[in-house]
Amino acid sequence: MLIKIYPENPNEKAIEQAVDVLRKGGIIIYPTDTVYGLGCDITNQKAIERICKIRNIKPEKANFSFICYDLSHISDYIKPIDNATFRVLKKALPGPFTFIFNASHAVPKLLSSNKKTVGIRVPDNNIAREIVKALGNPILSTSIHDEDDIIEYSTDPELIHEKYEDMVDLVIDGGYGDNVPSTVIDCTSGEFEVIREGKGNLQEYL
């Protein structure tokens, strides 16, 4: 199923439709402020296993992100961070960054793996954030990769739908996606270490 949602003013009914799919253990493809993501409810084990199957990855090896509405719930999933780190997060998010932290005890239970770290994302995209807000907890997410080495990321929602319609329950057309992923920053040592340069420039917020 493909539905159109406009990022400037997401339609409440369409957001509810996406949330309904997630609550029933479904998988959605949705836009972020970078590339399109493949997402499910973090509390649904079967849905997480389905995403691993689609991406052909083992759950314990997967580098998933938790897509959050804002920073209010991240303390549920990460070990305590200092005020200086929190201040940078407040300035940089919502934005095109994935911050990797030491995971709290709640994360391995959610993912049924021995995950010691977790990636936190607050995308600057109203569709993604409104879905998370209405769902009431983060979405577990991974990027949609393209088999074509040159393209790497699919950007056209209609083509994404053609490719994935038999594998996922809902594709949200939120306009063309970007083909530059988020900047990944490892914060597990208390420092900010950029491990993948992407769309975001962290220097602006330090």
Side-chain angles (χ1 to χ4, degrees):
M1 185 165 50
L2 179 69
I3 61 170
K4 176 94 183 153
I5 304 181
Y6 293 96
E8 300 76 38
N9 195 6
N11 178 302
E12 225 172 285
K13 271 206 172 112
I15 294 289
E16 271 307 323
Q17 201 177 341
V19 169
D20 195 46
V21 167
L22 291 168
R23 284 205 180 111
K24 288 176 176 159
I27 292 175
I28 66 170
I29 291 176
Y30 66 99
T32 71
D33 51 355
T34 57
V35 299
Y36 267 79
L38 188 64
C40 71
D41 185 334
I42 55 166
T43 63
N44 192 301
Q45 201 53 51
K46 282 204 166 73
I48 294 169
E49 284 162 15
R50 270 181 70 196
I51 285 188
C52 291
K53 220 176 191 159
I54 292 168
R55 283 292 311 278
N56 202 13
I57 41 184
K58 290 194 168 81
E60 58 276 11
K61 293 231 164 71
N63 288 320
F64 292 124
S65 300
F66 284 14
I67 305 286
C68 303
Y69 175 72
D70 57 20
L71 295 174
S72 59
H73 297 298
I74 65 163
S75 56
D76 298 342
Y77 309 109
I78 69 172
K79 289 197 171 151
I81 55 173
D82 60 35
N83 288 338
T85 304
F86 189 75
R87 275 198 296 275
V88 172
L89 293 190
K90 274 195 85 153
K91 282 192 273 186
L93 299 173
F97 298 98
T98 302
F99 288 98
I100 296 171
F101 293 103
N102 294 306
S104 74
H105 295 309
V107 171
K109 287 191 195 82
L110 291 167
L111 300 183
S112 75
S113 71
N114 297 322
K115 266 271 173 239
K116 303 280 191 289
T117 60
V118 62
I120 297 289
R121 264 287 266 127
V122 183
D124 189 9
N125 179 290
N126 290 334
I127 298 169
R129 291 180 67 220
E130 287 302 322
I131 289 170
V132 171
K133 190 181 182 183
L135 180 65
N137 57 257
I139 298 174
L140 177 114
S141 186
T142 180
S143 303
I144 292 280
H145 276 269
D146 205 294
E147 265 68 71
D148 186 325
D149 290 341
I150 301 160
I151 304 170
E152 191 160 20
Y153 296 101
S154 303
T155 58
D156 182 337
E158 290 191 7
L159 294 179
I160 292 171
H161 178 246
E162 262 174 46
K163 182 177 169 184
Y164 286 97
E165 64 180 322
D166 296 333
M167 293 182 248
V168 304
D169 303 281
L170 178 68
V171 177
I172 295 169
D173 175 354
Y176 273 87
D178 209 327
N179 60 357
V180 180
S182 64
T183 295
V184 179
I185 296 139
D186 188 338
C187 305
T188 53
S189 67
E191 303 290 318
F192 293 103
E193 188 194 343
V194 176
I195 54 176
R196 179 181 75 190
E197 287 283 0
K199 194 174 171 183
N201 177 9
L202 191 67
Q203 291 305 318
E204 295 171 17
Y205 305 102
L206 295 178

